[in-house]
Amino acid sequence: MTRSMHSLALYGAVLGSLLWLGGCGKHESAPPAPASASTAPAAAASAPAGSATRPPAGAASAAAARAASVAPAIAPVTAPAPLSVAKLTLGSAVNADHQVIRASNSFATSDKILYASVATEGSSGGATLNAKWSYLEGQGQLVSSISQSIATDGPAITTFKVQNPDLWPEGRYKVEISLDGKPVAQQDFAIKKS
């Protein structure tokens, strides 16, 4: 609302400047030289009505050009960038800002919780991030699939966690991140005996 009122005020100022400059650009014609009695009525009849108060040809466009050079440039309004994933970081602990403390792609079988911290940029009124955790040994078993809604007007961090109260099986794993159903990032990691 404030931006449109600001734009309206700016447009009003530019229009007022154009009208003022247009008025300043008017030039009265010099009074005609005295003519003989026989030619004066013919000259008056051939002149269009109100020609003495019209600006010379091109005066309006010259006034508009002067106003355009004086008027401040109006920056175009740009649409916010769409939401995108900037970075995926894995770790076994996060801080208060939900960021992984120490990034790693190798974990111990005794690590109870694993985190995937997803940094996003851009804005969205409502998007869905999903983290799909898979165990790649054998037939590639699904460990967990977690979705979170996100609404943001700038950079944000969304954290996903997967936990196992028992020991993790050793082997290769993968976490895949999708944004509104479209894959956008993935990272392989390993779990080994400590």
Side-chain angles (χ1 to χ4, degrees):
M1 180 76 178
T2 304
R3 176 171 262 177
S4 65
M5 291 185 70
H6 175 69
S7 297
L8 184 60
L10 187 58
Y11 289 133
V14 169
L15 182 60
S17 298
L18 286 173
L19 291 173
W20 180 77
L21 288 171
C24 290
K26 291 184 179 180
H27 299 287
E28 294 292 328
S29 300
S36 64
S38 62
T39 59
S46 66
S51 64
T53 60
R54 287 188 186 164
S61 61
R66 283 192 303 266
S69 68
V70 175
I74 299 172
V77 176
T78 57
L83 189 67
S84 64
V85 171
K87 186 176 181 183
L88 168 60
T89 309
L90 299 181
S92 58
V94 294
N95 62 19
D97 294 326
H98 306 289
Q99 295 173 322
V100 168
I101 295 172
R102 271 181 251 106
S104 181
N105 62 356
S106 181
F107 302 96
T109 56
S110 59
D111 286 334
K112 300 293 181 196
I113 301 174
L114 304 179
Y115 295 93
S117 182
V118 181
T120 54
E121 297 175 341
S123 65
S124 172
T128 301
L129 281 172
N130 177 269
K132 178 181 169 186
W133 303 80
S134 301
Y135 179 55
L136 301 178
E137 302 296 329
Q139 295 179 342
Q141 177 180 352
L142 177 66
V143 174
S144 176
S145 182
I146 308 162
S147 293
Q148 292 188 43
S149 294
I150 179 172
T152 182
D153 286 330
I157 302 288
T158 305
T159 302
F160 296 93
K161 74 177 180 178
V162 64
Q163 59 190 58
N164 186 351
D166 300 320
L167 295 177
W168 289 99
E170 288 185 78
R172 296 177 302 118
Y173 290 79
K174 180 194 303 191
V175 63
E176 298 170 283
I177 305 298
S178 62
L179 176 61
D180 291 330
K182 297 175 186 170
V184 291
Q186 70 177 21
Q187 185 169 338
D188 291 343
F189 62 97
I191 294 183
K192 303 174 184 174
K193 284 185 182 176
S194 21

